[in-house]
């Protein structure tokens, strides 16, 4: 997909035709919706635990990014590698991290994915083909390129999927990673989650082109601009990009637009976000939108949707109980693991 | 003037310098409307405008590199790292370009990089580090790390007025530390770069330290004072250049040295202190120099791990006892 031919946002034709023809069945939609709902419920609970003083460390949420998380990771095959960022915990769930795993991670427990060494969504897990994120924005992109490089050299067709916020796309690593992937035609997909703000900074202080995806041409890679609140659109764009990458067609830069529905993290009330942007964001809440779609298209009944919500709530309740009863690490474990054997 | 916090002292120091000198300006992430992640520049955008309070893209290399460019043109930029941990993304600009410019072709680079550093509890490996030692081996840079509210303001002013690049480490755990709320002079004052301060006098042992560890050291000294031991606590305040004379003088008096810092042990700045004392005051030592620092691992997230990792009053007290028992 070229920049010129990228679909306009919320193009009605796209919604009506292309997106109905994705080959997704009821079970697929169930999984996608379940994942989005689980991300929302999980992160709402993390915020609540924070307010109650039961959390360890800071609370972040990807409210508004659920369609990006679920739609993109759902386009991956088992052998593909996820290199996630801070607003796509749903992608962790799809790759096999359970709510229990992630809650233990958030609460610094010995049985979380990093055994308390790091917190919140800063965790990788080779069993699930997830590379752990670091805080330094953009540092993941060259790594995703390297993962794709190894895949190209060794064969096997694995694709790496990584993310960056529109703010993080300002950093040098973005350029270095994407350019390297382009030069070597690496099987990498890079999704820019454009939620209009980087912490408090609006996009006009981050980039001066119209769309970040405009850069695709400069790098000589494919580009796609999608409505990041529509899980089908994200799924389709990612699947196309993954297919292209697998066929040796090189990387794709996808810009998925959405709105960050809360502050940057729990301490931030987002006073600097104009009211109309926030309202518009909530009117396009990806979770609600997915729900309406499923009901409208009669994929699911109201009762079934309510059933999924109940189920998800139960999963998160259980995760909190489980994590709170799980042991903290022993102090001396701090010494372990600096080096590989 | 009512007592102010360390954070307020930094903020008012920066504000006064911007009022005093038009060439001073700030740049960094979220420092405008938001007032900075820790609110140091709160209200600055309204008072000084967009040209002097610049919300930079998330890109530390350009924040530091552009600060250098502006400094070459005669301005005095004060760059903010949102967390000291992110300074790594501007490492090349700082250690190769900024630091070596005056030596190579004689152009001064008067800039300040403010670095909120240190562990404040469960912020994990990327929001808790004390990266000062990476820079203390870079000729051309200056490095300061104030511990008190008075020094925070005075050293910031000196840093801004200095004709060289200065890394200014502000420990996040001191920002609102009630114990160091203090009345500071209303009139303009500075604290010279390169001078240590004796925070407590004593003749039995010396602790050389800086930053937040000054207070753990003072508390340990207080505990041992109850047992009849008088410990001198020397707050370095500046790491590059550091006050060698003050260290040697104290060690020659007490004959025992404990070096304490929150950064990790191996390759930490404490090694430099130990080395200089070994070289220049060896014959005055009654015991081997001891170092107490964080263990040699990344800063872990979970509470038991982080507590194990960090030096604290109890650990300083134990180390001091061992030093005295030698
Ligand atoms: C290199 C680097 N500098 C600064 C930060 C601090 N920081 C964390 S998130 C953030 C804003 C990120 O905005 P964006 O990339 O748009 O992602 P969003 O949070 O909006 O999803 C900043 C500045 C960081 N993590 N890494
Ligand atoms: Mg953003």
């Amino acid at each position: 997909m070229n920049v010129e031919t990228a679909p306009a946002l919320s193009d009605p034709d796209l919604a009506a035709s292309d997106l109905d023809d994705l080959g997704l069945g009821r079970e697929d939609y169930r999984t996608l919706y379940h994942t989005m709902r689980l991300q929302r419920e999980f992160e709402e609970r993390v915020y609540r635990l924070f307010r109650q003083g039961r959390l360890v460390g800071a609370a972040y949420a990807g409210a508004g990014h659920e369609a990006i998380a679920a739609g993109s990771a759902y386009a991956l095959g088992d052998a593909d590698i996820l290199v996630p960022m801070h607003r796509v915990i749903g992608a962790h769930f799809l790759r096999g991290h359970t709510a229990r795993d992630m809650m233990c991670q958030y609460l610094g427990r010995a049985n979380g994915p990093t055994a308390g060494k790091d917190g919140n969504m800063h965790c990788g897990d080779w069993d699930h083909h997830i590379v752990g994120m670091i805080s330094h924005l953009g540092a993941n992109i060259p790594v995703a390129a390297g993962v794709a490089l190894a895949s190209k050299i060794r064969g096997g067709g694995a694709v790496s999927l990584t993310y960056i916020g529109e703010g993080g796309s300002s950093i040098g690593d973005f350029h270095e990673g994407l350019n390297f992937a382009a030069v070597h035609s690496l099987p990498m997909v890079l999704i820019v989650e454009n939620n209009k703000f980087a912490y408090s900074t609006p996009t006009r202080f981050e980039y001066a082109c119209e769309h970040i995806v405009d850069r695709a041409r400069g790098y000589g890679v494919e580009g796609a601009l999608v409505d990041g609140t529509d899980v089908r659109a994200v799924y389709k764009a990612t699947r196309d990009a993954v297919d292209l990458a697998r066929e040796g067609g090189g990387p794709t830069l996808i810009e998925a637009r959405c709105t960050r529905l809360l502050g940057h993290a729990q301490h931030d009330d987002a006073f600097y976000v104009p009211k109309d942007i926030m309202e518009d964001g909530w009117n396009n809440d990806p979770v609600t939108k997915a729900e309406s779609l499923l009901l409208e298209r009669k994929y699911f009944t109201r009762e079934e949707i309510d059933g999924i919500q109940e189920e998800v709530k139960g999963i998160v309740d259980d995760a909190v109980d489980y994590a709170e009863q799980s042991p903290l690490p022993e102090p001396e474990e701090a010494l372990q693991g600096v080096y590989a054997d | 003037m009512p007592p102010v916090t360390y954070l307020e002292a930094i903020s008012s120091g920066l504000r006064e310098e911007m009022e005093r000198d038009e060439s001073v300006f700030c740049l960094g992430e979220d420092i405008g409307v938001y007032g900075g992640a820790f609110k140091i520049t709160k209200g600055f955008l309204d008072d000084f405008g967009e040209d002097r309070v610049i919300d930079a893209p998330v890109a530390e290399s350009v924040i530091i590199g552009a600060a250098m460019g502006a400094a070459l043109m005669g301005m005095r930029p004060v760059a903010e790292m949102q967390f000291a941990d992110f300074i790594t993304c501007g490492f090349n600009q700082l250690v190769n370009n900024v630091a070596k410019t005056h030596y190579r072709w004689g152009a001064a680079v008067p800039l300040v990089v403010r670095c909120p550093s240190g562990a404040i509890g469960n912020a994990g490996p990327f929001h808790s580090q004390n990266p000062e030692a990476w820079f203390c081996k870079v000729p051309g840079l200056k490095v300061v790390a104030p511990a008190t509210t008075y020094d925070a303001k005075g050293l910031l002013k000196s840093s801004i007025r200095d004709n060289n690049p200065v890394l200014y480490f502000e420990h996040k755990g001191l920002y609102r530390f009630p114990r160091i709320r203090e009345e500071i002079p209303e009139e303009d004052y500075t604290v010279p770069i390169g001078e240590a301060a004796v925070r407590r006098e004593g003749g039995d042992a010396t602790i050389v330290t800086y930053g937040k560890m000054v207070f753990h050291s003072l508390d340990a000294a207080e505990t041992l004072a109850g047992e009849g031991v008088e410990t001198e606590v020397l707050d370095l305040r500046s790491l590059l250049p550091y006050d060698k004379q003050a260290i040697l003088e104290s060690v020659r008096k007490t004959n025992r040295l404990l070096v304490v810092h929150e950064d990790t042990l191996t390759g930490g700045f404490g090694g430099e202190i130990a080395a200089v004392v070994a070289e220049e005051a060896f014959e005055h030592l009654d015991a081997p120099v001891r170092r107490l620092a964080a263990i040699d691992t990344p800063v872990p997230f979970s509470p038991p791990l982080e507590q194990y990792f960090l030096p604290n009053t109890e650990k300083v007290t134990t180390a001091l006892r061992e030093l005295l028992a030698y």
Side-chain angles (χ1 to χ4, degrees):
Chain A
M1 209 180 298
N2 238 313
V3 179
E4 302 99 290
T5 58
L9 290 173
S10 31
D11 177 343
D13 288 343
L14 186 76
S17 57
D18 290 19
L19 294 181
D20 271 351
D21 198 22
L22 294 176
L24 295 178
R26 211 179 114 88
E27 271 315 299
D28 298 306
Y29 280 114
R30 188 177 201 287
T31 305
L32 286 168
Y33 180 66
H34 188 276
T35 304
M36 293 171 70
R37 197 74 247 176
L38 181 58
Q39 170 163 353
R40 180 65 58 86
E41 184 73 25
F42 185 94
E43 292 181 332
E44 278 178 6
R45 194 68 60 90
V46 163
Y47 264 51
R48 199 188 314 160
L49 292 176
F50 180 85
R51 286 193 300 271
Q52 294 169 340
R54 288 158 70 191
L55 199 73
V56 178
Y60 296 86
H65 293 243
E66 290 89 346
I68 299 175
S72 61
Y74 200 62
L76 294 182
D78 285 346
D80 294 331
I81 311 253
L82 180 78
V83 189
M85 284 296 291
H86 56 300
R87 309 228 185 256
V88 293
I89 204 171
H92 283 261
F93 295 143
L94 276 176
R95 297 302 289 178
H97 270 150
T98 64
R100 283 183 170 190
D101 291 335
M102 294 309 287
M103 199 56 86
C104 286
Q105 167 72 9
Y106 254 103
L107 295 186
R109 303 295 148 152
N111 51 351
T114 66
K117 299 286 181 46
D118 205 342
N120 47 58
M121 77 304 284
H122 290 78
C123 58
D125 202 323
W126 220 224
D127 291 343
H128 300 310
H129 285 200
I130 301 173
V131 173
M133 72 167 277
I134 73 167
S135 293
H136 296 64
L137 296 166
N140 53 309
I141 301 172
V143 174
V147 165
L149 176 69
S151 167
K152 186 185 166 194
I153 294 170
R154 289 227 180 120
V159 173
S160 68
L161 168 62
T162 194
Y163 307 79
I164 189 69
E166 84 295 338
S169 82
S170 302
I171 206 158
D173 272 355
F174 176 97
H175 168 74
E176 297 182 33
L178 186 53
N179 187 55
F180 182 79
V183 165
H184 291 283
S185 204
L186 301 178
M188 177 179 96
V189 179
L190 171 57
I191 299 183
V192 177
E193 304 174 68
N194 189 340
N195 64 6
K196 306 182 178 71
F197 284 86
Y199 206 152
S200 72
T201 306
T203 54
R204 78 189 141 95
F205 289 137
E206 296 287 352
Y207 58 91
C209 46
E210 191 181 356
H211 300 298
I212 286 181
V213 75
D214 296 347
R215 296 178 190 170
R217 258 192 283 183
Y219 288 104
V221 302
E222 290 296 311
L225 181 64
V226 298
D227 178 353
T229 67
D230 183 340
V231 69
R232 297 170 311 165
V234 176
Y235 171 74
K236 182 179 188 317
T238 315
R239 195 183 65 181
D240 290 348
V242 167
D243 288 348
L244 181 73
R246 234 191 275 293
E247 289 157 13
T252 299
L253 177 65
I254 298 173
E255 178 175 357
R257 309 187 69 187
C258 66
T259 304
R260 194 189 69 201
L261 297 175
L262 299 168
H264 175 62
Q266 89 289 323
H267 64 270
D268 171 22
D269 66 6
F271 69 87
Y272 48 80
V273 176
K275 238 177 117 201
D276 55 319
I277 291 186
M278 207 47 120
E279 266 173 29
D280 185 64
W282 279 105
N283 290 335
N284 285 288
D285 175 356
V287 182
T288 318
K289 266 169 83 163
E291 187 178 310
S292 309
L293 178 89
L294 299 186
L295 289 169
E296 228 169 74
R297 301 290 158 90
K298 304 209 185 333
Y299 293 138
F300 293 95
T301 64
R302 181 78 252 169
E303 292 70 47
E304 286 169 321
I305 291 285
D306 292 347
I308 293 174
Q309 292 184 11
E310 273 311 297
E311 187 188 325
V312 160
K313 194 174 164 300
I315 290 172
V316 175
D317 286 343
D318 165 75
V320 174
D321 288 347
Y322 179 80
E324 289 193 325
Q325 284 163 32
S326 292
L328 287 163
E330 292 300 323
E332 304 76 39
E333 283 169 28
L335 291 163
Q336 304 303 315
V338 177
Y339 297 100
D341 292 333
Chain B
M1 221 165 103
V4 297
T5 61
Y6 182 91
L7 188 149
E8 287 161 345
I10 297 172
S11 185
S12 71
L14 186 51
R15 174 180 287 280
E16 285 169 25
E17 288 305 286
M18 289 179 74
E19 284 162 352
R20 184 188 61 79
D21 180 353
E22 284 224 320
S23 66
V24 179
F25 73 100
C26 305
L27 78 168
E29 294 154 18
D30 305 291
I31 66 167
V33 170
Y34 199 71
F38 297 98
K39 304 292 179 192
I40 296 280
T41 55
K42 191 173 174 199
F44 280 39
L45 181 63
D46 286 343
D47 298 342
F48 298 106
E50 276 192 8
D51 284 348
R52 295 183 72 197
V53 184
I54 299 172
D55 263 327
V58 182
E60 287 73 13
S61 187
V62 80
I63 292 172
I64 294 169
M68 166 166 164
L72 288 173
M73 299 292 285
M75 303 196 71
R76 289 185 179 267
V78 179
E80 174 174 301
M81 297 291 102
Q82 196 156 83
F83 286 79
D85 310 66
F86 300 130
I87 199 168
T88 47
C89 298
F91 198 75
N92 186 50
Q93 285 294 346
L94 209 41
V95 307
N96 282 321
N97 216 354
V98 168
K100 298 178 184 21
T101 287
H102 188 265
Y103 183 72
R104 294 187 307 118
W105 56 282
V109 185
L111 63 83
V112 178
V113 184
R114 288 187 29 247
C115 304
S117 62
I120 45 169
N122 318 124
F126 306 117
H127 291 79
S128 310
Q129 294 176 83
N130 293 283
E132 61 272 8
W134 291 338
F135 302 100
C136 288
K137 67 165 277 95
V138 183
L141 298 179
K142 295 189 178 184
V143 178
V144 302
T148 69
T149 298
Y150 181 91
D151 284 357
K153 185 166 185 172
L155 270 174
L156 183 64
K157 290 194 170 196
S158 294
S159 302
I160 292 171
R161 295 176 197 184
D162 200 286
N163 286 334
N164 296 283
V166 183
L167 296 191
Y168 179 96
F169 286 94
E170 44 196 71
H171 196 295
K172 304 189 291 289
L174 297 176
Y175 277 154
R176 296 181 176 82
F177 191 32
R179 169 168 170 186
I180 59 169
R181 280 173 67 98
E182 156 179 22
E183 274 182 46
I184 53 177
E186 234 163 300
E187 60 277 10
D188 187 47
Y189 71 92
T190 58
V191 169
I193 295 175
E195 269 184 32
V198 176
R199 298 294 176 202
R200 179 190 177 104
E201 286 190 38
D204 299 325
T206 299
I207 299 180
V208 170
T209 186
Y210 58 91
K212 184 159 173 268
M213 284 299 139
V214 167
F215 302 98
H216 295 290
S217 301
L218 285 170
D219 289 348
E222 187 64 32
T223 302
L224 288 199
E227 301 166 16
V229 175
E230 289 306 331
T231 307
E232 185 143 297
V233 177
L234 189 68
D235 171 6
L236 284 177
R237 308 198 286 189
S238 294
L239 304 183
L240 193 64
Y242 66 95
D243 194 341
K244 193 159 93 177
Q245 256 0 84
I247 297 166
L248 294 175
E249 254 167 53
S250 183
V251 171
R252 285 179 186 133
K253 179 175 74 172
T254 66
N255 315 115
R256 287 171 201 268
L257 174 63
L258 170 65
V259 188
V260 180
H261 55 63
E262 191 184 293
D263 185 15
T264 49
L265 181 73
T266 303
F269 194 65
E272 189 57 37
I273 310 290
V276 83
V277 168
E279 270 178 351
E280 299 190 30
F282 185 74
E283 66 279 15
H284 294 274
L285 289 174
D286 288 343
V289 175
R290 279 219 46 164
R291 289 179 295 157
L292 179 70
I295 59 171
D296 285 328
T297 72
V299 188
F301 168 79
S302 190
L305 304 182
E306 191 181 23
Q307 282 150 26
Y308 187 82
F309 169 88
L310 287 172
N312 56 25
T313 302
E314 202 188 313
K315 293 178 195 175
V316 179
T317 311
T318 306
L320 196 51
R321 280 215 171 90
E322 286 167 5
L323 176 73
L324 288 156
Y326 181 88

